[in-house]
Amino acid sequence: MRWSPPLSRTFWGPGLGRALRPADEHVPFLIHWSWALKGDCPHVPHRAFTCHRHCKSSVGSGPPSGRPPQLFQSVSAAEAIQRHRRNLAEWFSRLPREERQFGPTFALDTVHVDPVIRESTPDELLRPPAELALQHEPPPDSRLPALALSQLFDPDACGRRVQTVVLYGTVGTGKSTLVRKMVLDWCHGRLPAFELLVPFSCEDLSSLGPAPASLWQLVAQRYTPLKPVLPLMAAAGSRLLFVLHGLEHLNLDFRMASTGLCSDPEQREAPAAIVVNLLRKYMLPEASILVTTRPSAIGRIPSKYVGRYGEICGFSDTNLQKLYFQLRLNQPDCAHGAGGASATPAQRDKLVDMLSRNLEGHHQIAAACFLPSYCWLVCATLHFLHAPTPPGQTLTGIYTSFLRLNFSGEMLDSTNPSKLSLMAYAARTMGKLAYEGVSSRSRKTCFTEEDVRGCLEAGVRTEEEFQLVHVFRRDALRFFLAPCVEPGRPGTFVFTVPAMQEYLAALYIVLGLRKTTLQRVGKDVAELVGRVGEDVSLVLGIVSKLLPLRVLPVLFNLLKVVPRVFGRVVGQSREAVAQAMVLEMFREEDYHNDDVLDQMGASILGVEGPRRHPDALPEDEVFELFPMFMGGLLSAHNRAMLAQLGCPIKNLDALENAQAIKKKLGKPGRRALPATELLDHLFFHYEFQNQRFSAEVLSSLRQLSLKGVRMTPLKCTVVAAVLGSGTHPLEDVNLASCQLDPAGLRTLTPVFLRARKLGLQLNSLGPEACRDLRDLLLHGQCQIATLRLSNNPLTAAGVALLLEGLAGNSSLTHLSLLHTGLGDEGLELLAAQLGRNQRLRVLNVAYNGAGDTAALALAQAAQGHPSLELLHLYFNELSAEGRRALRDLGGSAGGGARVVVSLTEGTAVSEYWSVILSEIQRNLHSWDRGRVRRHLQLLLQDLEDNRGATLNPWRKAQLLRVEGEVRALLEQLGGPAS
C-alpha cells in the first residue's frame, strides 16, 4: 500500500514548506511522508488517542526495569522530540475519504486489531514459490511462536540482541496499517523502549534516484524539528528506531564493488547506499531498524544482516476477524445522506451477529477475511448497503478505492526496466481468468491450478516475463485468489470475494484487453496501412497516370477500406459484449430472483434457511454485478482513479463502449420488467453516473413497479438519483409492500412529483409519514391524481395531517384510505374538512372500524361535496340500521356521491361487487381473519336475503354467482360457507 506520492526533485530546493492539502482531499493511509515537516504544525485540534476498551495496546506501556537514562534531557532536545511526536501524530492520524465514511469518531486507535505475526527462518524463505502461492497456514514443522509487536526486538532464542527486524507479507495483509499504528503508539508514549523514531518511505527514497544526500540531510529535510538533536542521534544506540516501509521500492546492492562502506551519517551518498550501510550496521551500528517488504524482495537483504524475520499472516484466527468487525461496524455513522437516519445500535448489532455466524460456519468469507484488507472491504460494502449513502458514492467506486488503497503507486518489480504497474499486470492476468469464468459456457467461479497457470503464463516467452510471473505469484496472487472451502472441490481456487471476479472481468473489458486473433491481426494491419497509406496512395496516383492499369484504382480504394473494416470488426465485438452484459443484467433464473443488492448482502451475511445439499445438481452461476461494474468503470470518477493505478481508459474507448451499451439497453428498457430486474436496471444507471445517458435510455419508462422490493435507504437513493431528474411524467409508481419509512419517502420525493398514480400500500407508514405526504401534496409541482395508502397504520393523527395537504392540493382525484386505522375520530375529521378540497372524486375509507354515527356524518358530507362521486364504507362496524340508512342516503336522487356499504343495492347486485371482493382477496391473509370472516358472513346473509326478496330470475342468478364467490373466500379462511 502506498503511503505518499513520490517526491519531486525540487524537494531538495529552498522551498521546503509545502502547503497542506485541504482536509477533504484524498490522502493515502500513511500521509505526507514525502512532505517537509516544518516546525509549525497545522492548527488542528490534537486528538488524545486511547485504545478501545476491547482492544489491548499493541506494545507495553510501562518502561522496562533497569531502563537507561534518557539521552535527550536538555530542554531544547526534549522540546524538539515533543514537536516531532506531535507532527507525526498529526500526519499519521489523518484519514482518507474512504475511511471517513465510517463516522466522525472513527480513528485507528478505536478499531485496530493486530494481525498475527509468525516468526520465520531463512530456511522457510527458500521454499519453492509453488508452495507459497496461496498458502496461509504455517508449515507443520514450524515450532516458532507468534509474535506481538512488543516482542519484535526481544532477544532471539540464543539470547542475542535483535537490532534489525524484517516484516514481510503479501499485498493486503496489513503491513502499512501495522506500522502506522506502531508510529502512533510511539507518538502517544506507548512505545517506551525507543526514545526517537524516524520513519522513511522507501518509495519516497527511490523517487530521489542517485542524487547524493547524507543521512542527517534526509532526516532534517523530512522532519525539521529534529535538526537540534541530530548530533545526539549517533549516541542514541538501540533507543533510536528507523522504520523503512516498502523496501520493494528500493533496488539495494550489497556488493562492495557497487556500494562502498560509509559510516559517517554526514557523508553524502545515494539514498540506496545509505540504507545499505544502515542495514550492514556500518553506519549507526547500534540503531534499531524495522523493515517492511513484500515477500519477493526479502532476498535483497542478505540474511546475515537480519536478526529476525516476521511473516504478517493477517487474521488467520476468526476471533480476530470478529473483533475487527465488532469494532468497525459499531462506530457511529456519519450524519450524511438524503435525510436518512443513521443505523440504530440494534441494527448494527444484528449485522455483527449475522456476520459472526457466517464466519463461524467456516464459509468462504472466512477465507477471504484472512486478509485484513478484505475485512475493510466487507465493512465498506455493508456500510454502503445499510447506512445512508453519501452523494455520488457507488459500489464500483468502493471497489476501485479499495484497489487504490492497496495498489496505488505499486510497481510489480522495481528492478525491472518496464516499471509495470502491479494493478495493470493484475488486470491483464486475473482479469483474463475472471472473464473466462464469466463468459464461458460453464459459467464457473472455481478454478484449477491449470486454469490459473494458463492465465498467468499466457504469452510468456522471455526470462524477464517469467520473473514477473514469479513476483506476482509471491506478492499478489493471494490477494485475488483464495482456496475454495466448499466440499467436493479440493485443490481449486475462487476469487477472494465473489464480486471481485465480476469487477476484474469488467475491468478486463473496458481496458480493451480482450482481443480475438482477428482483432489483433487486424489492428496491426490497419496501423501498418495507416502509416504507409498516404505515401502508397501518392505513388499509385502517379503510376496510374503514366501506365493505364485498371487494377491500380482498385488497390487505391482498398487502402481506404482496410481501416474501416477493422473499425467495424471492433464495433461488432463491443456490441457482442454489450449484448452479453444486457442478457446477464436481465436474467431471471438467479437465486430466488432477488435484486443484485440483496444478493450481495446475502453473500456477506449468509443466507438464512436450509442450504443446498452437496449432492444436488449445481445451479447456474449468476454474474449480475458484471454489467453494473461495466457501467461503473466507465464513469469519469472511476476512470480517474484507475488512471492513478496505471490502468487508463481512453475517452474514445469509453464513448464507444457506452454507445454499444445504449444500443443494446434500448429494447429491454421499453418492455415491462419484473420488479427486481427493474431495480437492477436502475442500479446500472446509478453506477454509470451519467444523467444524459440515463435520460435517453429511460425516456420510454412510464410505469415504475417495484412492488415487493425491500426499499432500503440505498435503494431509495438509487431510484431517486436515476429518476428524480427526469422530465416526462410517470403514469404509475407502485411501491406496495416495500417496507418504506419516512426517510425513504423524503428521499423519493423527486420521483413522486413526477407520478400520476402513487401506490404506497402495505408499508407500515404511521402518522409521522403523513407529515411528508402532506408536504408532497402541497408541493407546487405535485401532479398525483391517485394516491393509494391502504393497509398503513395512519390513524386519526395521520389523517389530520393529510387533510392539511388535501386542502392545498389541486391534482388529487382518487384517495384510498382502506384499512388505515382511522376509527370514528378519523372519519369525523374527514367529514368536517372534506369540503376544503374541491377536486376529489373517489374516497375509500372501508375497513376502518368506524361506527354508524361517524359513517353517516361522512356520507352526509359527501352528499354535499361538489366533485365527490363515490364513497366506500364497506367492512366498517355498521349495524343493520346503519347500513340501511347509508344505502338510502347513497341511493337518493339528489345527485350526491354514491355510498358503497355492501355487495348489493336494494335487491340487485352492486356494480362494485367485483372491486370489493378483489380487494378482500388481495388482503385476505394480511387482515384479521376472524374479523374478515365475520364481515363476509354478514355479506353472505345480505345476499341470501336479497335473493329471497326478488322474483327476477336474472337478479337471482347474479346474486347466486356472487354468493359463490363469497363462499369460496370463506372456505379459504377455513370458516363455514353458509
Side-chain angles (χ1 to χ4, degrees), residues 13 113 187 312 443 478 485 581 617 703 711 799 805 854 857 885 973:
V113 178
C187 291
I312 303 178
R443 302 176 63 81
R478 180 62 184 87
V485 300
M581 186 204 77
L617 293 176
Q703 293 187 343
M711 294 298 292
V799 82
L973 290 172

Side-chain angles (χ1 to χ4, degrees), residues 163-183:
Q163 292 180 282
T164 302
V165 176
V166 174
L167 296 180
Y168 66 94
T170 59
V171 176
T173 50
K175 302 184 295 295
S176 299
T177 307
L178 185 70
V179 175
R180 177 169 171 251
K181 177 63 166 59
M182 189 174 184
V183 172

Side-chain angles (χ1 to χ4, degrees), residues 20 146 158 286 382 776:
L20 294 178
C158 299
E286 297 298 320
L382 288 177
L776 174 65

Side-chain angles (χ1 to χ4, degrees), residues 317-319 321-322 325-326 352-367 604-605:
D317 185 357
T318 55
N319 290 324
Q321 299 173 9
K322 290 192 288 186
F325 290 128
Q326 288 172 1
V352 173
D353 180 63
M354 294 179 67
L355 191 55
S356 298
R357 283 190 278 117
N358 202 20
L359 290 170
E360 291 168 358
H362 302 289
H363 300 151
Q364 194 66 50
I365 188 175
I604 295 175
L605 299 174

Side-chain angles (χ1 to χ4, degrees), residues 291 352 445 554 572 585 615-616 701 711 791 797 838 885 968-969 972:
V291 178
V352 173
T445 57
V554 176
Q572 290 178 349
M585 187 189 308
D615 298 333
L701 182 67
M711 294 298 292
N791 297 297
Q838 302 296 314
L969 291 175
Q972 292 183 41

